[in-house]
């Protein structure tokens, strides 16, 4: 067997194990919560004045999740439903299913965050590398670092509030909240796309600038560290051009930890930038989770958490898979 | 051997700034290297050998800096060249073998690409096949398997990495190779191979080699002329045979006396005391506190480096007086 295949299988087994445990915990925790979630749904439905369908709902749930059997039967039924993509019904938005809600929220979050996270990473890494390389010799970069530090320390939601105040309230250039204007119907038309981009600029900016600071500082310190390595001195002795030494020797090596950081950050985006989404009422995963928590919508909380765990695990798995290609020193397990 | 000078170092000073004062690691060093010769620099750890190499190549990093002097190579002072002129001269004319070859190769680049970088930088865009051919020839002539080119540094042993770096140092047929302790981290068998490789390179491409090593046995075996450094200064220079047969400076005698021999059983003569603190070197001759022949004058007056015939120079009051008498 090729060593990479063996390595891959090992990682895959770990991945499967972690996911299984995540699902197990996600299954157990709601069952430890006192009270009966289905009764809660019924109560809520009654409050809303719905009298029809209550009994059927109880029956459907019992059938679907084997609620009358022992815990193992229930777990098997839960897994079966999970594989079908069924995470149950939302309490607050009955009869919408959890899957439907996630399906609606996920694209907004991924769209907003994948772009900002990747952009922040690229810009932050490049600026950080230049700042670390020029270092003390350059006055300009000396002033940039403290700014980056300030921006990386400001919590992103605080920055979001500041942005809203400045650019939506004082100078109303951008809309205050939402992902698109009320009354617009989501479609692939230009006017809708422009509207979406206009709405996404402030939330994107708040995340971009604060996470940019972090990537900048981390890359800067990596480059400063690598500058002292023997292979950099050697590259200089070889008479290589400065830009070759910076990008092909220093930056290339600093990219290793930086890539790990990016992958983990990408795994986390599925959870949404919770507070940013709250500040901007942005209908992504964070907003969904926030609303689910305030309305005690257990099935939705459970569903969102499961998706987050899966995303983080998958990101970690992906980095394990690609790491041997970016760092030749990584060995595929036993030699 | 011709009396021509390939490189001449004049009164070179390289200091390190520290909070407790300046460390004068290289303090007014002068010597020259002839074409095609192997010039050795000996001396115990911390005497400034490596700093000297880095200063000559202008690779000294802060807090180190060059406080004065000249390094004349092909009629130009390397210390005064513009950055770009210096860059294009590096490796093409003067290459460098660093002290720790273990980390001197970029860990994420294949050996081939690290050598190709040098060729492309100094000779412009050259087709890949030609580069591969040159690397293959180079490796074959330096006893490396051409397969090594495709490997990453971590896949090679310490000795192999050292061989790669030495091979790389010769790729552009430089006039001078500065080798800083190239054999120190290696076992004797590998050491032999590496030294032989350096000799082969000198014979094949006619480069001069400046060989820095504290190992007097290695010096005795491979170098043509030898300079002995003590506490940031050169104390003696001469043809290696003469220096070993008849060391002039008491420090040189002490170094030679400390070489173990397997033929005769004798007590090794050590040298009492430690090298001085280079922030506050002792007045007069820096060696006087450890010198068995120290006289009153040694404590006050610094001995100049004087010529004592047959191309030998020494900095010691024992000989200055003789000169005066003669």
């Amino acid at each position: 067997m090729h060593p990479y295949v063996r390595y891959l299988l090992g990682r895959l087994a770990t991945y499967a194990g972690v996911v299984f445990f995540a699902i197990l915990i996600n299954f157990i925790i709601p069952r430890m919560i006192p009270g009966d979630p289905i009764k809660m749904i019924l109560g809520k439905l009654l409050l809303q004045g719905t009298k029809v369908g209550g009994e059927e709902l109880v029956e459907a749930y019992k059938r679907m999740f084997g609620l009358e059997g022992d815990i193992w039967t229930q777990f098997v039924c839960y897994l079966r439903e999970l594989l079908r993509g069924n995470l149950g019904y939302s309490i607050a938005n009955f009869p919408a299913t959890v899957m439907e809600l996630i399906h609606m929220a996920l694209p907004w979050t991924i769209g907003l965050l994948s772009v900002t996270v990747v952009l922040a990473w690229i810009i932050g890494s490049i600026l950080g590398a230049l700042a670390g390389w020029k270092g003390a010799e350059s006055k300009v970069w000396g002033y940039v670092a403290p700014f980056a530090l300030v921006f990386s320390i400001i919590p992103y939601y605080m920055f979001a509030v500041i942005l809203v105040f400045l650019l939506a309230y004082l100078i109303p250039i951008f809309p205050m909240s939402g992902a698109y204007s009320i009354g617009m119907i989501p479609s692939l038309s230009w006017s809708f796309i422009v509207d979406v981009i206009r709405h996404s600029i402030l939330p994107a900016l708040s995340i971009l600038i604060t996470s940019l600071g972090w990537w900048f500082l981390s890359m800067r310190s990596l480059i400063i560290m690598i500058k002292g390595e023997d292979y950099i001195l050697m590259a200089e002795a070889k008479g290589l051009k400065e830009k070759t030494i910076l990008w092909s020797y220093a930056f290339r090596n600093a990219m290793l930890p930086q890539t790990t950081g990016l992958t983990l950050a990408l795994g986390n985006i599925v959870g949404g930038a919770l507070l940013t989404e709250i500040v901007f009422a942005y209908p992504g995963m964070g907003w969904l989770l926030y609303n689910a928590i305030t309305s005690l919508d257990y099935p939705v909380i459970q569903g969102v958490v499961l998706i987050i765990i899966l995303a983080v695990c998958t990101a970690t798995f992906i980095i394990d898979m690609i790491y041997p290609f970016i760092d030749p020193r990584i060995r595929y397990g036993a030699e | 051997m011709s009396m021509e000078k390939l490189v001449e170092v004049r009164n070179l000073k390289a200091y390190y700034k520290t909070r407790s004062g300046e460390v004068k690691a290289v303090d007014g060093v002068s010597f020259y290297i002839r074409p095609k010769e192997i010039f050795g620099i000996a001396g115990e750890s911390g005497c400034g050998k490596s700093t000297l190499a880095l200063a000559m190549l202008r690779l000294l990093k802060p807090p180190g800096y060059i406080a004065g002097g000249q390094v004349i190579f092909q009629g130009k002072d390397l210390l005064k060249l513009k950055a770009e002129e210096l860059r294009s001269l590096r490796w093409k004319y003067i290459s460098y073998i660093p002290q720790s070859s273990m980390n001197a190769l970029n860990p994420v680049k294949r050996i081939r690409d690290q050598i190709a970088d040098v060729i492309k930088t100094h000779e412009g865009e050259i087709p890949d096949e030609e580069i591969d051919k040159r690397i293959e020839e180079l490796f074959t002539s330096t006893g490396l398997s051409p397969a090594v080119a495709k490997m990453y540094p971590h896949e090679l042993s310490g000795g192999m990495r050292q061989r790669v770096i030495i091979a790389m140092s010769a790729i552009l047929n430089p006039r001078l190779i500065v080798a800083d302790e190239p054999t120190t981290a290696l076992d004797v068998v590998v050491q032999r191979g590496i030294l032989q490789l350096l000799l082969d390179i000198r014979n094949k491409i006619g480069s001069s080699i400046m060989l820095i090593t504290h190992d007097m046995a290695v010096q005795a075996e491979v170098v043509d002329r030898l300079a002995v450094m003590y506490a940031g200064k050169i104390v003696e220079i001469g043809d290696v045979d003469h220096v070993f047969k008849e060391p002039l400076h008491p420090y040189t005698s002490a170094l030679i006396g400390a070489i173990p021999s397997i033929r005769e059983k004798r007590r090794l003569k050590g040298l009492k005391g430690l090298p001085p603190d280079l922030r506050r070197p002792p007045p007069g001759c820096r060696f006087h506190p450890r010198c068995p022949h120290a006289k009153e004058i040694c404590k006050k007056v610094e001995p100049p480096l004087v010529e004592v015939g047959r191309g030998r120079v020494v900095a010691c009051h024992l000989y200055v007086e003789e000169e005066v008498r003669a």
Side-chain angles (χ1 to χ4, degrees):
Chain A
M1 207 183 333
H2 190 277
Y4 184 71
V5 177
R6 195 167 43 201
Y7 165 83
L8 195 70
L9 289 178
R11 292 291 141 159
L12 207 58
T14 316
Y15 175 64
V18 172
V19 168
F20 178 79
F21 268 101
I23 292 171
L24 187 65
I25 288 167
N26 210 34
F27 165 80
I28 290 171
I29 284 180
R31 279 159 182 77
M32 287 162 65
I33 297 170
D36 182 339
I38 303 176
K39 285 228 177 80
M40 236 168 88
I41 299 179
L42 286 178
K44 201 143 188 183
L45 289 177
L46 284 173
L47 275 180
Q48 286 166 355
T50 322
K51 296 214 168 66
V52 221
E55 291 305 311
E56 285 91 333
L57 179 72
V58 177
E59 282 310 306
Y61 254 103
K62 283 187 174 164
R63 251 199 330 277
M64 227 190 288
F65 293 106
L67 291 184
E68 267 146 8
D70 61 11
I71 193 120
W72 290 113
T73 329
Q74 289 187 28
F75 186 56
V76 170
C77 291
Y78 173 77
L79 281 182
R80 185 190 66 208
E81 292 306 315
L82 198 65
L83 287 175
R84 285 183 186 158
N86 183 0
L87 290 168
Y89 292 97
S90 158
I91 296 174
N93 297 297
F94 187 80
T97 65
V98 174
M99 217 49 190
E100 281 165 1
L101 292 175
I102 289 176
H103 195 76
M104 278 197 292
L106 202 53
W108 291 112
T109 286
I110 291 183
L112 176 68
L113 285 171
S114 56
V115 175
T116 45
V117 167
V118 171
L119 217 56
W121 182 75
I122 294 173
I123 300 173
S125 297
I126 291 175
L127 294 183
L130 288 171
W133 189 256
K134 302 285 177 195
E137 296 148 41
S138 148
K139 287 224 166 70
V140 184
W141 289 111
Y143 289 117
V144 173
F147 274 103
L149 190 62
V150 169
F151 280 119
S152 72
I153 284 172
I154 297 179
Y156 65 95
Y157 47 90
M158 289 282 287
F159 197 64
V161 174
I162 295 170
L163 282 179
V164 169
F165 179 73
L166 288 179
L167 295 176
Y169 178 76
L170 270 188
I171 316 161
I173 311 172
F174 296 108
M176 276 206 186
S177 64
Y180 50 89
S181 304
I182 296 161
M184 275 237 167
I185 296 148
S187 62
L188 271 176
S189 66
W190 269 118
S191 59
F192 182 72
I193 291 171
V194 170
D195 192 54
V196 166
I197 291 175
R198 247 170 59 78
H199 277 80
S200 67
I201 284 181
L202 286 189
L205 218 55
S206 75
I207 302 166
L208 186 75
I209 291 179
T210 50
S211 53
L212 194 86
W214 161 252
W215 295 123
F216 174 88
L217 291 173
S218 117
M219 183 49 111
R220 181 171 160 268
S221 58
L222 282 165
I223 291 284
I224 288 174
M225 215 167 70
I226 288 174
K227 247 164 75 176
E229 292 284 345
D230 292 335
Y231 55 81
I232 299 295
L233 183 78
M234 187 70 179
E236 207 183 318
K238 275 154 77 174
L240 301 184
K241 297 203 170 80
E242 194 182 353
K243 65 173 200 288
T244 314
I245 305 178
L246 168 57
W247 299 112
S248 183
Y249 284 71
F251 189 71
R252 177 68 181 74
N253 276 284
M255 282 312 282
L256 306 175
Q258 202 77 346
T259 305
T260 313
L262 172 69
T263 328
L264 295 178
L266 282 177
N268 279 320
I269 65 173
V270 178
L274 189 76
L275 294 163
T276 306
E277 291 186 12
I278 293 167
V279 170
F280 291 100
Y282 204 80
M285 292 291 276
W287 181 244
L288 180 66
L289 183 61
Y290 167 71
N291 282 323
I293 292 170
T294 50
S295 59
L296 288 177
D297 198 341
Y298 291 120
V300 173
I301 300 175
Q302 203 186 345
V304 172
V305 169
L306 186 68
I307 298 286
I308 293 173
I309 295 173
L310 287 179
V312 173
C313 290
T314 308
T316 319
F317 175 64
I318 289 172
I319 189 157
D320 278 346
M321 278 196 322
I322 61 171
Y323 220 86
F325 295 103
I326 58 171
D327 187 350
R329 284 165 297 182
I330 298 289
R331 298 199 177 157
Y332 320 118
E335 286 283 289
Chain B
M1 203 170 277
S2 76
M3 288 304 292
E4 221 185 310
K5 296 167 183 174
L6 175 75
V7 61
E8 185 174 12
V9 174
R10 293 181 191 153
N11 201 23
L12 185 63
K13 293 176 180 172
Y15 299 166
Y16 291 93
K17 279 199 179 89
T18 69
R19 274 185 202 176
S20 46
E22 277 181 336
V23 178
K24 297 176 175 174
V26 173
D27 200 12
V29 164
S30 303
F31 63 92
Y32 61 89
I33 301 174
R34 295 171 182 149
K36 296 185 189 176
E37 101 177 323
I38 300 191
F39 185 78
I41 303 232
E44 63 202 295
S45 302
C47 72
K49 305 186 296 289
S50 295
T51 307
L52 172 62
L54 292 172
M56 277 174 69
L57 300 162
R58 257 171 81 180
L59 286 171
L60 199 60
K61 296 285 172 236
Y65 71 102
I66 294 169
Q70 289 175 308
V71 179
I72 309 292
F73 179 79
Q74 296 185 331
K76 288 179 212 153
D77 184 359
L78 294 186
L79 305 184
K80 289 209 176 70
L81 283 186
K82 290 205 183 74
E84 186 54 28
E85 281 178 285
L86 179 70
R87 189 193 62 68
S88 58
L89 184 141
R90 280 179 173 157
W91 218 263
K92 196 167 179 180
Y93 294 99
I94 305 179
S95 61
Y96 171 60
I97 299 165
Q99 190 160 24
S100 52
S101 63
M102 291 316 273
N103 305 314
L105 293 164
N106 183 351
V108 296
K109 252 185 168 199
R110 291 181 198 278
I111 302 295
R112 181 225 170 257
D113 296 333
Q114 303 197 37
I115 300 177
D117 271 351
V118 184
I119 302 176
K120 284 180 181 165
T121 307
H122 293 285
E123 299 181 3
E125 282 304 316
I126 284 175
D128 278 339
E129 304 82 67
E130 201 180 308
I131 289 179
D132 286 331
K133 222 180 107 210
R134 270 174 74 179
I135 293 175
E136 196 181 322
E137 277 168 19
L138 174 75
F139 277 16
T140 320
S141 70
T142 47
L144 280 161
S145 150
V148 167
K150 291 197 193 69
M151 295 188 180
Y152 287 102
H154 74 271
E155 295 174 288
L156 305 173
S157 68
M160 294 270 269
R161 272 183 239 189
Q162 190 62 284
R163 254 173 203 280
V164 166
I165 290 176
I166 292 175
M168 185 155 72
S169 76
I171 183 101
L172 301 178
N173 299 340
R175 296 295 87 215
L176 174 66
I177 299 174
V178 177
D180 189 358
E181 303 271 10
T183 56
T184 302
L186 307 169
D187 66 67
V188 245
V189 179
V190 181
Q191 230 177 55
R192 271 223 76 81
I194 297 286
L195 292 173
Q196 191 55 50
L197 181 56
L198 281 171
L199 286 170
D200 290 349
I201 286 175
R202 189 267 302 262
N203 295 339
K204 196 166 158 239
I205 66 176
S207 319
S208 304
I209 296 175
M210 175 168 147
L211 180 67
I212 296 174
T213 174
H214 64 268
D215 189 334
M216 289 301 274
V218 168
Q219 297 283 16
E221 210 168 340
V222 292
V223 308
D224 300 318
R225 284 194 311 136
L226 179 66
V228 178
M229 267 184 96
Y230 183 77
K233 288 188 176 289
I234 286 185
V235 294
E236 177 164 7
I237 306 177
D239 285 353
V240 71
D241 298 338
H242 301 154
V243 172
F244 272 83
K245 212 172 283 163
E246 188 199 347
L248 296 179
H249 198 281
Y251 179 62
T252 313
S253 327
L255 278 186
I256 294 169
I259 306 174
S261 162
I262 48 169
R263 295 214 177 78
E264 43 176 323
K265 196 166 175 163
R266 62 178 167 94
R267 255 188 99 77
L268 285 182
K269 277 184 238 133
L271 188 54
K272 285 203 183 70
L274 290 168
D277 179 352
L278 290 178
R279 281 168 302 188
R280 279 171 229 87
C285 173
R286 291 184 177 185
F287 187 59
H288 86 255
R290 300 169 81 183
C291 183
H293 313 292
K295 300 178 293 187
E296 220 26 63
I297 185 171
C298 302
K299 293 175 189 162
K300 290 177 196 128
V301 184
E302 196 179 314
L305 205 57
V306 290
E307 179 117 28
V308 288
R310 287 196 304 181
R312 292 193 69 176
V313 286
V314 63
C316 181
H317 286 297
L318 293 174
Y319 305 96
V320 176
E321 281 177 342
E322 272 172 27
E323 288 287 292
V324 172
R325 261 180 268 141

